[in-house]
Amino acid sequence: MSKSKTPKKAKAAAKWVYTFGDGAAEGHAELRELLGGKGANLAEMSKLGLPVPPGFTITTDVCAAYFANGNALPDALRPQIEEALVRVGAMTGAAFGDEASPLLVSVRSGGRASMPGMMDTVLNLGLNDATCEGLARRSGDARFAFDSYRRFIQMYGDVVLGVDHHLFEDVLDNFKNLNGHGSDTELTPEDWREVVEDFKELVETELGEPFPQDIYAQLWGAVGAVFSSWNTARAITYRRLHDIPDDWGTAVNIQAMVFGNMGETSATGVAFTRNPSTGEKAIFGEFLVNAQGEDVVAGIRTPQSLSERARLEMGDKAASLEALMPVLFTELTDVCDRLEARFSDMQDVEFTIQEGKLWMLQTRNGKRTISAALKIATDMVGEGLISQSEAVMCVEPQEIDKLLHPTLDPDAERHVIATGLPASPGAATGEIVFDADEAEALAAQGRKVILARTETSPEDIHGMHAAQGILTTRGGMTSHAAVVARGMGRPCVSGAGRARIDQEAQTLNVDGLVIAKGEVVTLDGTSGEVLKGEVALRQPELSGDFVTLMGWADELRRLGVRANAETPHDVAQARDFGAEGIGLCRTEHMFFEPERISAVREMILAADEDGRRTALDKILPMQRGDFVKIFEIMGELPVTIRLLDPPLHEFLPNEGEDVADAALALGVEEKALKQRIAQLKEFNPMLGHRGCRLAISYPEITDMQARAIFEAACEVTQSSGRAVKPEIMVPLVLARNELDFIKARIDAVAEAVGRERDVTIDYQVGTMIELPRACLRAGEIAKTAQFFSFGTNDLTQTTMGLSRDDSGPIMSDYLARGILEADPFAQLDEAGVGELVAIGAARGREARENLKIGICGEHGGDPQSIDFFERAGLDYVSCSPFRVPIARLAAAQAALRARAGKGTK
Ligand code: PEP
Ligand code: MG
């Protein structure tokens, strides 16, 4: 073939297939990029000597080659697969295609990051008319053989050949109706043989050609289909939601089949090595006797608990695995312990029991709630499984957010209408809807919705993401809804069995009660209850595990963490969350209350200095009072107060009623006010008369603010006996001269107030660095500035030429087309804005060796950006109070990565 001359041929010599089984493996856990998570861990389990059905992994490199080849498998792959199949056959005493003892395999996806249920799987591959007869003879169980064959035709037909699985189900249902069978178990071997013929006929009718009997053709088809499933719409959506790059690709795992459906001594199940909701150290999961893997998640039969204790807690009648197969239960718990010891983390495993023998099919780090994550991390340190640093790395900083959100007020009245499983904790209230698209559409309008489904599937993810909470009427604790909701941090009640959804009528019906679409319901994902109407919520309290882990994080981090806050309430909240100072007190935000905004408007609208001074006299005591409270709350911790930076359009009344009201409040003619507003109108207010430019034009504003700060500092110093050390920050500076001018005014006020009050105030004057010119001129500016704080909101706006206020619609196109990887106003643009930050910091420190440098833009609470600020050598980050704990943890992780010489990507 001509493509053999292309560079791809050079890759053909590469190793594309890695085998495992029989206590050995060619791969290992660290080869995750190449083998995918599942393949790398199967190799590792095999090396640990755990019972893993033998198999091999086709690497993610092949996935890339497959797509580059126009969705065709490279020729050089085939001999490697054939060789591996021979080895697997030898380990199992069977051979692929052998009519006497046929080897059957599973073909599964397995990317670098887990994408549960998003890609395709084919089971029982290797069956055709001849090998099926062989399997029947060898197993002595024709029912099992033909049942496996019909499952294979259905799965292969659906996944590889594109014949809708509903058509197969219809054929089976028709067959059962015609023959008077109620359930699958009533079908005889001969019945299944007939169903197989019907299925083959269906495929031939649909495709115009017979179902493939060539097992190698089946195999190539299945491998290609699994690679192709990387690019299904649902997989793409999942990657977008979870920040998984499109070019990672998936590996394919081919493994000897083991059967959980070979009678009463066979079973299949899933287990977490610890409870994924609470973190409790006890094996937790579900299983089904005489079933294949799909049956556990499909929700057709109700799975049973693994442990006796869980069974009692759930009130299950069906026996636990512990009671039913005690030896295997002990073996499984043993395997779980060994896996935890090897992977130093809680594992989520899949297992099958075939005629009394345990087989491990998969292990991966288990998804868990944030409270479970904290408990597991701290417990594992106690058990000596991991170090404190490892524990700190185990918890995703963004997840902390979920701890800080409300739960149901236990004292509130509850009208429970249904109960299900407590699948994902937390509480949510909203209008009930029964369709994912509708959930998304209503949420986009700002409405709060609860998505109710019989059971969810990957097609529902966008709706689950948009919803406040998720309710299903079917499915267990490891159902799709439960796993995905936990991952997203959405409260979820699953398997509310007495509730029924009527899709046509768009209602939820429980014991005669009808809840129609749009009615408000509340979910308690912690108790599993569904409540009618809205129920009061309560703010969460942080657990002992949280405090312990954050304590370790605080010891490990180098970056300081401050808060952006200006009201006494927010300042106190920030301190509670562990802020080590206020990094940004936006003084203009102290005037949002109605009676205050009027005074600020009077100041802005004043026609001359006298008018302004009159307004400023009204503002002074308000400012002083607030500063006193803030200094009192923060004690000796630093407080950075920024001088007024009001973008004028945010403070002036708009047209119509607002103007009339403002005129009334200010005691001026409406017409005169309109004229003044017109005079002040700017085309680009964010680049207009704001920041220090206002102080240059009207220095009396600075005088008033400096006086309020120093008088408050004197008052608190005198009353508390503690020296208050304010840091005064000048915004939007572009040249040292601006700062010199303003600093001279501040110094003069400091001296005057000090003399009047007979107190010496220790203060600093610094600047925000939020313009590219300020970064470039940082060396000069630092000769006057005693500290820098990067205002990365404005710095992003001015570096990228993108308006902070108007970039939303642009950004959605840029992100959808992959032109930008992330919204630069949420995650720092390291390549551009980051370089300016680095230049500014370096030039500033060159001029002033001990220059303290912080960042107070929104990026101060974003873990990825914090990693950059650590590498850039900044001294602290400052963010909104609720993000302080996230920043503390992210800063610790950034420090650990920096010490290990690794970045986040
Ligand atoms: C900034 O620009 O990053 C900043 C913190 O200031 P503001 O958001 O108030 O403009
Ligand atoms: Mg700014």
Side-chain angles (χ1 to χ4, degrees):
M1 272 177 149
S2 60
K3 70 169 124 49
S4 61
K5 296 216 167 55
T6 67
K8 271 167 233 132
K9 179 68 185 171
K11 277 203 156 188
K15 184 168 176 53
W16 276 348
V17 167
Y18 286 69
T19 57
F20 55 81
D22 253 358
E26 291 178 310
H28 52 81
E30 277 66 44
L31 285 183
R32 204 183 166 81
E33 281 186 24
L34 193 63
L35 303 181
K38 188 192 288 248
N41 288 357
L42 279 168
E44 200 63 38
M45 284 206 287
S46 195
K47 282 191 153 155
L48 286 174
L50 299 179
V52 174
F56 54 92
T57 304
I58 306 172
T59 68
T60 51
D61 283 350
V62 181
C63 187
Y66 175 79
F67 290 129
N69 248 353
N71 288 16
L73 295 173
D75 291 341
L77 175 67
R78 298 184 181 202
Q80 294 193 33
I81 291 186
E82 282 163 4
E83 196 186 317
L85 276 172
V86 171
R87 288 175 69 173
V88 173
M91 289 183 213
T92 56
F96 196 56
D98 187 311
E99 291 180 15
S101 68
L103 168 67
L104 304 194
V105 295
S106 61
V107 182
R108 295 174 204 262
S109 61
R112 225 196 277 188
S114 135
M115 293 170 52
M118 293 299 127
M119 287 181 285
D120 287 332
T121 293
V122 178
L123 301 179
N124 302 337
L125 191 141
L127 282 173
N128 57 18
D129 295 351
T131 56
C132 181
E133 296 291 353
L135 182 67
R137 275 193 304 275
R138 188 172 188 223
S139 62
D141 187 346
R143 181 182 200 287
F144 156 71
F146 283 93
D147 181 22
S148 301
Y149 193 19
R150 69 90 194 176
R151 283 175 191 259
F152 169 60
I153 297 172
Q154 174 165 356
M155 218 175 210
Y156 193 90
D158 180 31
V159 168
V160 185
L161 305 176
V163 181
D164 193 327
H165 66 101
H166 289 115
L167 296 176
F168 292 98
E169 274 146 32
D170 291 348
V171 168
L172 182 58
D173 283 346
N174 274 343
F175 184 90
K176 286 199 279 194
N177 287 340
L178 279 174
N179 294 282
H181 294 313
S183 79
D184 287 6
T185 47
E186 292 168 24
L187 271 72
T188 64
E190 275 316 306
D191 287 334
W192 284 121
R193 194 188 280 270
E194 273 185 55
V195 171
V196 162
E197 288 310 313
D198 291 350
F199 276 13
K200 285 198 302 192
E201 217 174 284
L202 168 69
V203 171
E204 190 156 358
T205 315
E206 287 295 310
L207 302 178
E209 53 187 75
F211 185 80
Q213 291 292 313
D214 175 348
I215 53 166
Y216 283 96
Q218 291 175 0
L219 185 60
W220 312 140
V223 172
V226 172
F227 281 140
S228 293
S229 69
W230 175 257
N231 279 335
T232 56
R234 65 179 191 223
I236 292 170
T237 305
Y238 187 93
R239 288 203 290 278
R240 202 141 285 157
L241 289 174
H242 293 82
D243 269 343
I244 300 173
D246 287 333
D247 61 5
W248 277 5
T250 181
V252 175
N253 296 291
I254 297 187
Q255 208 173 2
M257 283 295 301
V258 284
F259 296 94
N261 56 340
M262 289 190 79
E264 294 307 301
T265 55
S266 299
T268 187
V270 292
F272 289 91
T273 54
R274 298 182 192 223
N275 186 311
S277 282
T278 63
E280 193 200 354
K281 184 170 163 41
I283 187 168
F284 181 89
E286 296 165 332
F287 79 107
L288 280 174
V289 176
N290 197 9
Q292 277 207 328
E294 275 50 45
D295 304 337
V296 180
V297 267
I300 299 158
R301 284 164 59 190
T302 305
Q304 296 153 243
S305 294
L306 291 179
S307 72
E308 199 45 23
R309 196 175 135 201
R311 184 188 75 79
L312 293 170
E313 274 171 14
M314 308 288 275
D316 284 352
K317 294 212 172 57
S320 65
L321 183 72
E322 188 174 10
L324 217 53
M325 304 179 187
V327 176
L328 287 162
F329 177 77
T330 311
E331 195 186 336
L332 179 65
T333 6
D334 232 50
V335 168
C336 287
D337 286 345
R338 290 183 63 192
L339 287 173
E340 277 204 350
R342 169 61 188 85
F343 291 101
S344 305
D345 202 352
M346 182 262 256
Q347 298 295 293
D348 163 2
V349 304
E350 282 179 21
F351 66 90
T352 282
I353 294 169
Q354 179 177 323
E355 297 183 309
K357 165 132 182 70
L358 175 69
W359 292 100
M360 300 306 297
L361 302 186
Q362 167 165 319
T363 189
R364 62 185 174 201
N365 291 346
K367 295 214 185 309
R368 63 208 78 177
T369 62
I370 177 64
S371 17
L374 290 167
K375 177 160 173 54
I376 291 169
T378 51
D379 280 359
M380 283 189 163
V381 171
E383 292 160 29
L385 277 178
I386 55 174
S387 66
Q388 290 180 3
S389 306
E390 285 170 319
V392 162
M393 291 306 287
C394 273
V395 179
E396 182 62 45
Q398 291 288 20
E399 292 283 296
I400 298 280
D401 218 15
K402 297 174 193 159
L403 275 182
L404 312 174
H405 294 292
T407 49
L408 283 188
D409 182 344
D411 301 328
E413 211 178 294
R414 294 165 165 235
H415 179 175
V416 179
I417 52 171
T419 316
L421 299 173
S424 179
T429 289
E431 300 169 48
I432 195 162
V433 294
F434 303 98
D435 176 82
D437 290 341
E438 190 160 9
E440 190 178 52
L442 291 182
Q445 294 168 16
R447 312 235 305 251
K448 293 193 162 130
V449 297
I450 300 291
L451 177 63
R453 306 280 292 146
T454 304
E455 56 196 331
T456 63
S457 76
E459 268 79 28
D460 292 318
I461 318 188
H462 60 298
M464 297 171 77
H465 201 254
Q468 303 289 313
I470 296 137
L471 166 66
T472 68
T473 54
R474 241 201 248 163
M477 290 292 277
T478 51
S479 64
H480 179 267
V483 171
V484 174
R486 266 201 299 274
M488 287 179 176
R490 295 287 178 286
C492 175
V493 174
S494 71
R498 292 178 61 184
R500 289 271 166 280
I501 290 172
D502 183 338
Q503 275 297 351
E504 208 156 289
Q506 294 280 287
T507 53
L508 180 80
N509 309 316
V510 203
D511 300 335
L513 178 78
V514 178
I515 307 274
K517 183 175 86 171
E519 283 187 49
V520 173
V521 294
T522 298
L523 300 183
D524 184 347
T526 314
S527 69
E529 286 166 319
V530 184
L531 305 111
K532 193 167 164 30
E534 188 171 343
V535 180
L537 303 178
R538 182 186 261 192
Q539 294 303 325
E541 291 195 7
L542 298 171
S543 73
D545 298 322
F546 172 81
V547 175
T548 306
L549 191 99
M550 293 308 283
W552 295 335
D554 289 343
E555 276 168 31
L556 291 164
R557 70 186 154 87
R558 183 194 62 78
L559 279 170
V561 177
R562 298 195 189 182
N564 297 351
E566 37 277 328
T567 65
H569 173 268
D570 289 354
V571 169
Q573 175 88 79
R575 196 161 178 189
D576 277 355
F577 283 152
E580 298 162 308
I582 297 301
L584 174 63
C585 170
R586 289 177 164 105
T587 50
E588 64 281 2
H589 284 198
M590 298 165 118
F591 297 104
F592 283 153
E593 285 158 37
E595 65 280 11
R596 292 186 167 202
I597 201 160
S598 184
V600 174
R601 282 176 173 167
E602 187 179 334
M603 177 196 79
I604 293 173
L605 294 164
D608 53 29
E609 190 178 329
D610 273 356
R612 233 174 347 265
R613 283 195 183 279
T614 310
L616 288 169
D617 284 346
K618 292 183 194 161
I619 296 172
L620 176 70
M622 300 176 194
Q623 290 250 276
R624 187 176 51 223
D626 284 349
F627 293 143
V628 165
K629 287 190 197 127
I630 292 174
F631 290 144
E632 281 173 350
I633 296 167
M634 291 311 285
E636 293 201 327
L637 297 176
V639 176
T640 307
I641 296 166
R642 181 176 75 184
L643 297 184
L644 215 57
D645 178 11
L648 292 184
H649 64 302
E650 282 181 18
F651 281 83
L652 292 180
N654 291 318
E655 309 287 295
E657 264 179 44
D658 280 357
V659 180
D661 289 350
L664 201 66
L666 294 168
V668 294
E669 290 280 321
E670 191 180 331
K671 195 165 158 229
L673 181 59
K674 274 192 179 152
Q675 267 172 4
R676 181 69 181 137
I677 292 172
Q679 268 175 359
L680 290 172
K681 185 170 165 52
E682 294 175 319
F683 280 107
N684 283 317
M686 291 305 274
L687 298 179
H689 208 175
R690 60 178 283 228
C692 67
R693 297 160 198 175
L694 210 60
I696 303 284
S697 300
Y698 313 124
E700 56 277 12
I701 299 178
T702 301
D703 295 348
M704 177 282 290
Q705 289 205 290
R707 176 162 283 277
I709 294 167
F710 292 129
E711 287 183 356
C714 289
E715 200 175 313
V716 177
T717 297
Q718 278 168 330
S719 64
S720 69
R722 261 189 337 248
V724 174
K725 298 178 195 158
E727 297 174 352
I728 301 176
M729 183 153 78
V730 181
L732 219 69
V733 160
L734 57 83
R736 182 184 171 194
N737 290 348
E738 292 170 313
L739 194 58
D740 285 339
F741 176 84
I742 294 165
K743 184 168 185 298
R745 303 288 295 214
I746 296 170
D747 290 343
V749 176
E751 206 190 305
V753 174
R755 230 180 304 111
E756 287 160 24
R757 305 280 177 125
D758 199 20
V759 178
T760 309
I761 310 285
D762 188 5
Y763 66 98
Q764 290 192 338
V765 177
T767 178
M768 293 198 66
I769 300 286
E770 42 191 347
L771 296 173
R773 192 179 194 280
C775 296
L776 299 173
R777 302 297 297 152
E780 262 302 291
I781 294 172
K783 288 181 186 157
T784 300
Q786 293 167 289
F787 64 88
F788 278 179
S789 180
F790 284 97
T792 46
N793 303 334
D794 277 312
L795 189 57
T796 299
Q797 168 168 257
T798 49
T799 301
M800 303 188 92
L802 271 173
S803 161
R804 285 166 72 161
D805 299 324
D806 303 322
S807 64
I810 305 171
M811 212 42 65
S812 47
D813 292 343
Y814 270 54
L815 297 177
R817 293 183 200 283
I819 290 170
L820 288 178
E821 263 183 33
D823 180 344
F825 290 105
Q827 184 181 314
L828 193 84
D829 159 47
E830 264 188 49
V833 180
E835 180 161 7
L836 280 170
V837 169
I839 290 171
R843 293 187 183 174
R845 285 208 174 116
E846 218 168 279
R848 188 187 284 267
E849 205 183 327
N850 296 323
L851 184 72
K852 185 172 54 188
I853 306 183
I855 124 92
C856 60
E858 278 310 296
H859 309 90
D862 170 59
Q864 186 90 27
S865 311
I866 290 171
D867 193 79
F868 169 77
F869 299 132
E870 166 69 34
R871 282 180 273 129
L874 267 48
D875 295 304
Y876 68 87
V877 296
S878 188
C879 55
S880 59
F882 271 87
R883 294 172 89 188
V884 164
I886 297 172
R888 286 162 64 199
L889 184 56
Q893 296 188 350
L896 288 167
R897 273 193 292 266
R899 273 169 228 157
K902 291 188 203 148
T904 48
K905 283 202 172 157

